Amino acid sequence: MWLAAAAPSLARRLLFLGPPPPPLLLLLLSRSSRRRHRLHSLGLAAMPEKRPFERLPADVSPINYSLCLKPDLLDFTFEGKLEAAAQVRQATNQIVMNCADIDIITASYVPEGDEEIHATGFNYQNEDEKVTLSFPSTLQPGTGTLKIDFVGELNDKMKGFYRSKYTTPSGEVRYAAVTQFEATDARRAFPCWDEPAIKATFDISLVVPKDRVALSNMNVVDRKPYPDDENVVEVKFARTPVMSTYLVAFVVGEYDFVETRSKDGVCVRVYTPVGKAEQGKFALEVAAKTLPFYKDYFNVPYPLPKIDLIAIADFAAGAMENWGLVTYRETALLIDPKNSCSSSRQWVALVVGHELAHQWFGNLVTMEWWTHLWLNEGFASWIEYLCVDHCFPEYDIWTQFVSADYTRAQELDALDNSHPIEVSVGHPSEVDEIFDAISYSKGASVIRMLHDYIGDKDFKKGMNMYLTKFQQKNAATEDLWESLESASGKPIAAVMNTWTKQMGFPLIYVEAEQVEDDRLLKLSQRKFCASGPYVGEDCPQWMVPITVSTSEDPNHAKLKILMDKPEMNVVLKNVKPDQWVKLNLGTVGFYRTQYSAAMLESLLPGIRDLSLPPVDRLGLQNDLFSLARAGIISTVEVLKVMEAFVNEPNYTVWSDLSCNLGILSTLLSHTDFYEEIQEFVKDVFSPIGERLGWDPKPGEGHLDALLRGLVLGKLGKAGHKTTLEEARRRFKDHVEGKQVLSADLRSPVYLTVLKHGDGTTLDVMLKLHKQADMQEEKNRIERVLGATLSPELIQKVLTFALSEEVRPQDTVSVIGGVAGGSKHGRKAAWKFIKDNWEELYNRYQGGFLISRLIKLSVEGFAVDKMAGEVKAFFESHPAPSAERTIQQCCENILLNAAWLKRDAESIHQYLLQRKALPATA
């Protein structure tokens, strides 16, 4: 499953710890201890008690589900008939299954060759989403058939078997019936053993109106008239392979499609809303290239005869990897050649790559329990980049990985309220909590580090061993380590257990000494904490694959070692005194680096003259920003380094710089010198803005388009005079139909005119939203509405967020945009959430959207008492699946407050001094 991306401007609040020079150490330790005391006094440092939970008993298990469902697209109900071939392993007079929001009408069990036994009681345990079927006599060991007739609701919660609203080309509102079962919602569509390790085959039939498309995991084998109604047909699908319940899917609705065959002969289709088949072609091309890539990489063929990719109107996640029928948000699948921007193409390519990787890694071999979810998601989040790099080398996608995944994971993992990659989960509400940046982005980052440590050849060999050994079965993390260890001969389990079984990651402190013609490096590792140095008794240790490069050959490692102790010395042979030395080539190792002052000084010219590779320039700047966030160096030092990026050509480096300046801007919105940091932003970004201009030049590509949008948006938001004037001119031409804005310029122009506009501007934007036929354009507008500054207009935007005009899954980004748009917006969004909590919670409860809503809305606060207010509100308005997120948000608020107290004055003085300098200085 791909979680829809958080708003980039709020994506990261990066933190840092380190063993700094001794004079600072006592001060930092005391400060860190004081902050931890505050966390404990607010009750933020410990996660709540786990809810009691038991997995299903093993006495009865399914072999095959024969399932027929008849959805009613007008009354929003469905009827179901289940006949499950089951194995009774030990004598029992009851069968316990998962069941939620379903009413069982009749149930019976027919032992093979014996009489039917009717169930005499259905005991629903709603809290645990289980039902116990009681029988008057004992079911003896052996096989038989469990028959259940039931009814359910096509809900509007975007989980289970639910309804999705769409508008026909003629403007009529209709509903499709669609599914989203991961993690624990197959039980809302039919009674089942809804655990990933309880696999079975499925024979699915759907009884649907004859003018609707009906799809499931497998190909259609029969379509015949339904006896009672000539407007209805029964569609039968082929039997699936052995699979987990969370991967079952069915869709009933109106769709067009485009199709092709992969070079391996698999039928690939992309289903789109009616009249938009053209918009499925890009995803079709990506999917057709991706299937053979994975087949070759894993050396295991795709096991089904077909794969469908389908765009669903109302969809909570980004996409879901149901075997053979992958569901997507429209914005994650549809590309309009004229109206889609470059970042949308890239997103579609990544999401398609992610979901198709799951067809092997997750579907063919499935995690044994949700504790190992990271195996699925971390792996798919890594290999999607490998796949996109293969299909689109011009995207420079691995550099983007560092900004999008690696740093995002480090931000979260530096908190006291992070969690290990492998986290013990039980109750369904706990499962939802771990669909986060640790499972996905840290998971992907440590696999990227592991791949680099092993080497591609042995990694592929180990993957093939793993997939072949466990196909159609379940596996745990240890099983993957065993296969990779066997293929590489390296101590994979010992190394990787330090990364998956404990939370956090290390800071490597390094200093250097020239000894004749050699360079002696002294390395030490400590746990990296958001609040300053680690203060516990026993500091965790990691086995860290370390790479070292020098200015002699910046793109290749001069030395590779495994750091398996707290401190070690290494000698680099033949390094001249004037050469720089850098750790973590390519920013691949999942750690941060703190250099001695002399080492750092020698690296900084490599930023200006671009002799450091882009991903290393990015990593260096990011580490320094994080050091400042934790108070180990002054934020002013980082601002000085940021000014060295004046010649920077690389999109991803600018993107990361922009993100960090965005975090600083949000922090300083709590002061009375917010305008001064905007002046700094304009100074840093205007040279690259002038070089790029507004219009594409011959020979430019994907990354130039991304960079232009980023830079113009940054300058426009900061109020850069000429950018603002040009944005207004182009917006006027766009609205009047004189000159339509290119898709890549729309976000920055919309953002700029709204931020510096009035009620009329907002009205024009809402009109454009209403007229937009494409969901991408609607989302583009929704994400920038929060930039408006007047309290009255902010209220109007918040009311709009909950209106019928905004799809349920997109309300979150509208409210989040308001919270991230301004200081007043943040307060208004938080009040709006409190005032409308019942409706919002009812809409998103038990899914990750509730966590995202809370995170986007409150994390920008920087006053201690706000942490207490947020905690108090959620104590009286519980949101079980967001408990960890709430803890993390409160911790971040306290960190922001500490940062502001510590550095605000020195930042202000620095910005004033810069202003006083002559313009040429």
Side-chain angles (χ1 to χ4, degrees), residues 2 54 122 190 203 379 406 463 510 535 586 629 643 667 681-682 727 759 777:
W2 176 293
E54 278 181 18
F122 318 135
F190 57 101
D203 294 312
F379 185 85
Y406 174 99
M463 291 308 308
V510 55
V535 292
R629 173 96 197 242
E643 294 185 85
L667 185 78
V681 169
K682 285 186 266 189
E777 176 74 353

Side-chain angles (χ1 to χ4, degrees), residues 1-6 157-159 180 182-183 185 315-320 329 408 428-429 431-437 440 809 812 843-856 881-882 885:
M1 186 157 68
W2 176 293
L3 301 189
K157 303 286 189 294
M158 295 186 286
K159 61 183 183 180
Q180 169 59 41
E182 191 179 23
D185 291 315
F315 197 74
M320 175 63 210
R329 275 190 185 200
R408 185 165 163 244
S429 69
V431 179
D432 281 321
E433 278 199 297
I434 59 166
F435 283 87
D436 66 0
Y440 282 72
Q809 71 265 26
V812 172
R843 189 187 277 197
Y844 303 125
Q845 61 178 330
F848 60 85
L849 281 175
I850 198 77
S851 294
R852 178 153 298 148
L853 176 69
I854 294 165
K855 181 179 165 65
L856 290 176
S881 68
T885 299

Side-chain angles (χ1 to χ4, degrees), residues 555-604:
N555 290 298
H556 292 95
K558 189 174 178 75
L559 179 72
K560 287 187 173 190
I561 50 163
L562 186 67
M563 185 175 181
D564 55 1
K565 42 179 149 337
E567 295 179 354
M568 67 192 301
N569 292 348
V570 294
V571 175
L572 287 178
K573 293 283 184 189
N574 302 317
V575 179
K576 298 187 181 74
D578 62 345
Q579 290 179 345
W580 53 251
V581 169
K582 184 182 180 296
L583 260 62
N584 205 2
L585 172 68
T587 318
V588 172
F590 197 74
Y591 57 89
R592 289 209 176 277
T593 308
Q594 187 188 351
Y595 295 97
S596 66
M599 287 187 79
L600 180 61
E601 198 63 38
S602 72
L603 282 166
L604 294 181

Side-chain angles (χ1 to χ4, degrees), residues 108-316:
S108 64
Y109 180 75
V110 187
E112 200 171 322
D114 211 335
E115 304 245 327
E116 187 165 6
I117 307 166
H118 289 275
T120 48
F122 318 135
N123 179 21
Y124 297 96
Q125 295 105 58
N126 292 336
E127 186 70 13
D128 287 334
E129 300 180 346
K130 289 175 184 170
V131 65
T132 301
L133 308 178
S134 302
F135 294 89
S137 56
T138 302
L139 313 183
Q140 297 299 333
T143 55
T145 305
L146 175 66
K147 298 180 178 181
I148 303 177
D149 288 357
F150 58 94
V151 292
E153 179 199 6
L154 286 175
N155 69 68
D156 60 355
K157 303 286 189 294
M158 295 186 286
K159 61 183 183 180
F161 197 14
Y162 71 93
R163 61 186 188 263
S164 171
K165 184 175 164 184
Y166 64 98
T167 308
T168 65
S170 64
E172 187 189 338
V173 170
R174 290 186 185 166
Y175 290 85
V178 302
T179 57
Q180 169 59 41
F181 291 165
E182 191 179 23
T184 55
D185 291 315
R187 62 193 65 173
R188 291 173 204 283
F190 57 101
C192 55
W193 289 264
D194 198 11
E195 294 182 0
I198 307 180
K199 288 188 167 188
T201 56
F202 291 80
D203 294 312
I204 290 171
S205 300
L206 297 172
V207 178
V208 302
K210 66 181 180 187
D211 60 350
R212 296 294 192 270
V213 172
L215 301 170
S216 187
N217 304 81
M218 297 297 288
N219 47 301
V220 175
V221 290
D222 192 20
R223 183 184 171 96
K224 61 185 181 193
Y226 192 62
D228 306 342
D229 188 341
E230 61 179 25
N231 295 312
V232 172
V233 291
E234 182 174 359
V235 182
K236 275 194 168 165
F237 300 91
R239 177 169 288 187
T240 70
V242 173
M243 63 188 282
S244 303
T245 48
Y246 80 89
L247 294 166
V248 172
F250 15 91
V251 173
V252 180
E254 295 175 281
Y255 300 94
D256 286 344
F257 67 86
V258 285
E259 77 174 322
T260 188
R261 280 198 181 271
S262 73
K263 70 175 190 193
D264 303 318
V266 178
C267 177
V268 185
R269 284 183 176 181
V270 174
Y271 283 85
T272 73
V274 172
K276 296 186 177 179
E278 182 78 11
Q279 295 178 17
K281 286 185 172 173
F282 178 75
L284 185 72
E285 178 195 326
V286 175
K289 280 185 187 172
T290 296
L291 282 175
F293 172 76
Y294 287 144
K295 181 207 160 208
D296 294 345
Y297 195 87
F298 298 132
N299 200 17
V300 173
Y302 174 72
L304 307 187
K306 64 93 176 176
I307 188 157
D308 298 327
L309 293 71
I310 185 165
I312 304 292
D314 294 326
F315 197 74

Side-chain angles (χ1 to χ4, degrees), residues 45 74 131 160 162 186 209 238 316 377 410 438 442 497 834 843 908:
L74 298 176
V131 65
Y162 71 93
E377 298 304 348
Q410 289 192 334
I438 300 297
K442 183 180 180 182
N497 285 344
K834 290 188 292 184
R843 189 187 277 197
H908 191 194

